[in-house]
Amino acid sequence: MVEIATDTDEAVRGIADGSTVLIGGFGRAGLPFALIEAVRRSGARDLTVVNNNAGNGTTGLAALLASGQVRKVICSFPRQKDSFVFDELYRAGKVELEVVPQGNLAERIRAAGAGIGAFYTPTAVGTPLAEGKEVRTIDGRDYLLEYPIRGDVALVRAHAADPMGNLVYRKTGRNFGPIMAGAAKLTVVEVTEVVPLGGLDPETVVTPGIFVDRVVATTPHPQEEDA
Amino acid sequence: MVEIATDTDEAVRGIADGSTVLIGGFGRAGLPFALIEAVRRSGARDLTVVNNNAGNGTTGLAALLASGQVRKVICSFPRQKDSFVFDELYRAGKVELEVVPQGNLAERIRAAGAGIGAFYTPTAVGTPLAEGKEVRTIDGRDYLLEYPIRGDVALVRAHAADPMGNLVYRKTGRNFGPIMAGAAKLTVVEVTEVVPLGGLDPETVVTPGIFVDRVVATTPHPQEEDA
Amino acid sequence: MIEHTDQGPLDRDGMARLVARDIPTGSFVNLGIGQPTRVADFLAPEQQVVLHTENGMLGMGPEAHGDAIDPDLINAGKIPVTELPGASYFHHADSFAMMRGGHLDVCVLGAFQVAANGDLANWHTGAPDAIPAVGGAMDLATGAKDVFVMMTLFAKDGSAKLVKECSYPLTGLGCVSRVYTEQAIFHLTADGVVVAETFGTTLEELAQRLDVPLAGAPQ
Amino acid sequence: MIEHTDQGPLDRDGMARLVARDIPTGSFVNLGIGQPTRVADFLAPEQQVVLHTENGMLGMGPEAHGDAIDPDLINAGKIPVTELPGASYFHHADSFAMMRGGHLDVCVLGAFQVAANGDLANWHTGAPDAIPAVGGAMDLATGAKDVFVMMTLFAKDGSAKLVKECSYPLTGLGCVSRVYTEQAIFHLTADGVVVAETFGTTLEELAQRLDVPLAGAPQ
């Protein structure tokens, strides 16, 4: 059985300074907004954050950046219309950035959860993002060697969980959740609803509970929709 | 839209001699029994068959072996109580065998569909199955380099398909189907039922139709249960 | 080769219409953020094209408006979209596996520059103060069977964007098969750059203005 | 260390009972084909152990009989089984990713030989005419956080199966953490082989009969 936390502060307890935190979500879909807020409140510092983006507006990941708790961001697309919080910190040299092509980012996270030591990917060969990476020719095609991205913690938003920690998602909110859940030592999930045991069809479970440590029920944050 | 074949012979048409054929199923669960029978009737020869096992009894894969159409079997577990057809052919030197640990087999098939050039796996390090394979130490742990297993054809059994070729499976019948569907140039699927467009919930689709070329409706073969 | 000299250069919709026209029936297609998204408006239902969005969906429908907006249903440009019958959802590793594994037939991308050999530059201007951001561009460029580029043929400073060699940082090597511009459609082939159609100009004029050899053009 | 000299060696159920007893509450566990399957019968509900079967399921229930038999629902030994509330299904790559990624707490396997350093030999006798067949044994041995072995301590020819170095072909290196036999439970630790309990024998007797040093035993 998974731990069902009573609130988000309890759900994120124990995140150490210096942790690598995998944060699900693509844009605001599947973003674990309430858990990010709780991490901000926890005061954990010196974090490495892995997310597809680097925050929007002034809430969520941007608020965590603004509070100076993030040392490094690993993402595919930091630059957005309203990524001014990140932009300013980056230009001031106050946050490090590792840009990873989105598919390599996803595969590196999957590799961490799947126990793959490293893999060869064709994406980014011959580009500036290949600098310093090993190249290998396989069957006449060039590939880069990429290593897993492991998290100390994963923060995931799903739609519903059962008491085993099994998860289902909603539409494109699924995105990084299933792979991040497997790639971290501690996986914390916020859901709209915790259903009773037997409330999820075993055929439709997307993330088996084996990957989940703590679940907390939250309403989708109002700012998630209009921030 | 996927091609809905009227019968299994039509569904497997065009399989060339010398093809590598990925065949789903673990034991009889998810075994595309009717499609294997159709390949046998097609007379295609010199096949390399990839399946978890190497046939049971006298039907299905065993019948394909018995008819002399298989040059090589790539599998994790050929030896079973009733694998006498394979056993005899193997001992007579009439069929080649490549034994691959089950998880490496699955990951190699996945890699083919996912465009991964090769990957490092810890499984089989230090064992006879590591012979001839490259070893690499990553973060203090040894890994073997493994390459993708690609199919010319994949034969898969699913539970239901829609006209887009989207698939859902039943219970442990899922096994190799989803990864084999992505790993072959031509993917042929037998299902119990073809449902109308919109008949599958997009959240519960296991194999998206992009991986499927031909679908044929068949009743689960009676011999599947008692052979 | 068709020279449409009875008309001016294409407008944006005109380019999108021709890209849509050239997508084979039954294709699985990814439309890049921005201009390429417009191609969807010109796909005919009988083309049976299935749209992929790399954030985890096949069978994406048109942009959502009003009550149809669902914050959990967005495209790669983070615009609310809709779901068509026969859609499916999957996670990011599966979505990019689909792309990297060569299962997408066509992707349509914008570009800063395309080289005659198919090299693509569309993710970074190389400006020293620019914040790098690549998203799925490299994955798409490398993974799709055919990469179509939509771009203006010349930059604001008048320099050509179809070039002998890209000066901007690359997105992918030798990946572009077709370039749709307001003045011409170019096919990048093993035999060089072939002009398929011109709009408000001629092959000869293009050959004079571009620094890349065009098949069949006077030297 | 407890010496149960008031009883004889364990029978098969006795071994299975002790393995079950030692599995921590809330563990995710894979039980190998054959003898280890029996451990399921001795797991207490309050242990909340979730069983994994590598052919693609978590939350596996007991063997199915009669009308409950479903040909699509089998375990890794191809025996019909049942589904418990809270179960889930997944494909083979995901199932072995779960294993290889270190998410399974315990797997229980049979063995031909276990070496004092944790090396395991359980897939091949090395006989020249044997048809090799490995299944998921190497993946399980390498992937689970803890590998428990259940075996008789001595082979039919009287040779010990807990050895200095395996003579049979290996399944995995240094992977076994505990060995349950009819005569004793051994913990393989960084400090050597520790006898946790004996049944119908003593540490001293075991030390005389085995060729591996046992911690705390007279030399």
Side-chain angles (χ1 to χ4, degrees), chain B residues 3-16 32-44 64 69 153 155 186 188-190 214-218:
Chain B
E3 176 188 336
I4 309 289
T6 53
D7 61 45
T8 54
D9 293 314
E10 184 189 327
V12 303
R13 74 184 183 280
I15 297 181
F33 195 91
L35 293 177
I36 298 169
E37 282 291 292
V39 171
R40 188 181 57 71
R41 287 193 300 272
S42 81
L64 192 65
Q69 293 168 261
V153 185
L155 307 180
L186 172 70
V188 186
V189 183
E190 58 167 78
R214 301 177 192 161
V215 168
V216 62
T218 69

Side-chain angles (χ1 to χ4, degrees), chain B residues 26-27 29 53 76-80 87 90-91 99-104 106-107 121-129 141 170-176 178-179 225, chain D residues 53-57 70-78 83 89-93 96-97 100 123 129-136 138-139 142 169-173:
Chain B
F26 178 88
N53 303 110
S76 86
F77 209 81
R79 191 184 62 219
Q80 299 189 89
D87 297 356
Y90 177 75
R91 293 214 158 93
V99 171
V100 182
Q102 201 168 334
N104 287 356
E107 190 71 8
T121 172
T123 301
V125 166
T127 78
L129 296 185
R141 188 171 191 195
R170 271 197 83 241
K171 304 186 185 285
T172 58
R174 187 181 303 196
N175 58 66
F176 285 93
I179 49 175
E225 287 169 42
Chain D
T53 182
E54 61 264 37
N55 51 319
M57 182 187 195
D70 179 336
D72 284 334
L73 181 46
I74 59 175
N75 68 12
K78 290 158 192 154
E83 170 190 298
Y89 296 102
F90 29 83
H91 63 58
H92 247 70
F96 283 83
R100 193 190 309 107
W123 76 287
D129 67 334
I131 297 178
V134 66
M138 290 184 182
D139 307 278
T142 306
L170 291 183
T171 306
L173 299 177

